[in-house]
Amino acid sequence: MGTAGRFISFEGIDGAGKSTHIEALAAAFRAQGRVVTLTREPGGTPLAEKLRAIFLHDVMDGLTEALLAFAARRDHLRQVIEPALDRGEVVLCDRFTDATFAYQGGGRGFDLQVLSYLEKQVQTVTVQGAALLREPGLTIWFDLPPEIAAQRLAGARVPDKFEAQPAEFFRRVAAGYAQRMHESPQRFARIDANQSVEQVRDHVFAALQAKGWLA
Ligand code: TYD
């Protein structure tokens, strides 16, 4: 529906099950004739993918993590997201800035004001001569209790630095997402991810249809 660029992000604690639904949504948009850019953070460019590997596996403090996430984001925005939106594509991004507020802010307890400052510096872009703060037009938040997410992840693969965190960390991450949604309620669709894959998928599609972005 339409040809305007659309920027949609997907969020949630590790194990909440974003990936399956992002793929399904990409297929649905393509079936309707839209060009889809499927990407992720940290990552999405050669430089940002190098930063991702360091970010996920090296031990560092909250500020260093935040700076790496935003450095990767800056490159990703300039190289991939803005050009795709300019071409009128649908950009589906597996995590974006809400993850930094939730994980580094909520999870690690890092200063939210510094994150807000970095967000402004990194995400201010110029569109047709005017400066604007680039944010997703819609953020789908897969909300799942940490204990259930942990059960889903258990034995699935070798956990990275974040996946190895205790439930208490993920409770703070979830609170970080809730706070972001509280600040921008019109941007968020919260989906109860403690349902069958089919039910969650129906809710994801309904959120897109409610926006008029998917037939
Ligand atoms: P994730 O998106 O879950 O990818 P995969 O499915 O391959 O594991 O992994 C990214 C991890 O990075 C996840 O634990 C969340 C974390 N993260 C942050 O801590 N801050 C950020 O700004 C972003 C984008 C991700």
Side-chain angles (χ1 to χ4, degrees), residues 128-173:
Q128 289 165 354
L132 67 84
L133 183 73
R134 176 63 70 201
E135 288 187 299
L138 175 66
T139 296
I140 308 239
W141 171 27
F142 297 90
D143 192 17
L144 189 68
E147 293 73 17
I148 296 174
Q151 283 166 19
R152 287 190 186 174
L153 280 181
R157 57 186 172 188
V158 180
D160 65 34
K161 180 173 98 178
F162 293 104
E163 289 162 355
Q165 293 288 330
E168 185 46 39
F169 176 86
F170 288 108
R171 255 188 289 282
R172 294 196 300 274
V173 173

Side-chain angles (χ1 to χ4, degrees), residues 41-206:
E41 291 218 342
T45 69
L47 169 59
E49 290 291 331
K50 285 189 214 166
L51 296 177
R52 176 189 177 93
I54 300 169
F55 178 90
L56 285 185
H57 300 293
D58 291 18
V59 177
M60 62 191 78
D61 77 332
L63 174 58
T64 311
E65 274 181 9
L67 291 171
L68 283 182
F70 275 113
R73 183 161 302 132
R74 177 77 180 169
D75 195 55
H76 189 209
L77 260 182
R78 289 171 57 88
Q79 309 286 346
V80 173
I81 297 174
E82 290 302 312
L85 293 174
D86 280 348
R87 292 190 299 265
E89 296 179 9
V90 175
V91 176
L92 302 182
C93 195
D94 189 343
R95 300 189 184 282
F96 196 64
T97 304
D98 298 310
T100 316
F101 279 83
Y103 280 76
Q104 281 64 53
R108 298 275 196 233
F110 184 70
D111 190 333
L112 298 178
Q113 280 184 323
V114 176
L115 297 184
S116 293
Y117 174 79
L118 291 170
E119 179 183 35
K120 273 200 205 72
Q121 294 299 312
V122 166
Q123 290 167 229
T124 299
V125 297
T126 308
V127 177
Q128 289 165 354
L132 67 84
L133 183 73
R134 176 63 70 201
E135 288 187 299
L138 175 66
T139 296
I140 308 239
W141 171 27
F142 297 90
D143 192 17
L144 189 68
E147 293 73 17
I148 296 174
Q151 283 166 19
R152 287 190 186 174
L153 280 181
R157 57 186 172 188
V158 180
D160 65 34
K161 180 173 98 178
F162 293 104
E163 289 162 355
Q165 293 288 330
E168 185 46 39
F169 176 86
F170 288 108
R171 255 188 289 282
R172 294 196 300 274
V173 173
Y177 279 127
Q179 179 60 28
R180 288 286 278 181
M181 177 161 166
H182 179 71
E183 287 162 9
S184 305
Q186 72 299 334
R187 176 166 65 83
F188 271 87
R190 189 192 78 87
I191 290 173
D192 175 5
N194 194 13
Q195 305 179 78
S196 72
V197 175
E198 292 73 24
Q199 284 169 318
V200 173
R201 191 191 51 216
D202 288 348
H203 287 295
V204 171
F205 278 58

